[in-house]
Amino acid sequence: GVEAHVCVAQTVRGLRETGWEVAVVVDGVASRREVDRRVALEYFKGMGVRLTTVEALLFEMLEDKEHPQFKAISALVKVPAPPNSFL
């Protein structure tokens, strides 16, 4: 699931308890109530979870502009995203 305070929180907790380093893509999780999402993100930070965004993660995976998909990903992230309640 995508609910930060329920499904994602349980998965993050389980992974951290078994020693995994965890990153949560903040614009990829949601909650019905914004307060639940905000509290979950603070909880994740307190557990040492790295918070990131889709765009940041994509460019991290590409590493540099020499990657064959760099131009395609650059064009993709320049397209305006529809309004949402993730932020």
Side-chain angles (χ1 to χ4, degrees):
V2 299
E3 282 196 296
H5 66 292
V6 182
C7 303
V8 177
Q10 292 171 357
T11 301
V12 166
R13 185 174 49 249
L15 289 169
R16 293 294 294 142
E17 287 173 355
T18 57
W20 286 87
E21 290 183 28
V22 179
V24 171
V25 180
V26 298
D27 50 347
V29 299
S31 294
R32 286 185 307 111
R33 298 183 321 151
E34 182 61 23
V35 66
D36 289 323
R37 182 176 174 278
R38 289 178 190 262
V39 168
L41 295 177
E42 287 299 318
Y43 173 67
F44 299 154
K45 282 198 300 190
M47 292 185 350
V49 171
R50 184 169 63 100
L51 301 181
T52 190
T53 64
V54 169
E55 184 172 338
L57 186 59
L58 286 171
F59 284 110
E60 182 180 326
M61 291 167 59
L62 295 176
E63 295 183 355
D64 62 39
K65 67 179 183 163
E66 303 306 319
H67 192 283
Q69 295 301 316
F70 182 84
K71 285 186 180 182
I73 296 298
S74 293
L76 180 66
V77 299
K78 288 179 183 175
V79 174
N84 62 51
S85 62
F86 290 151
L87 304 175

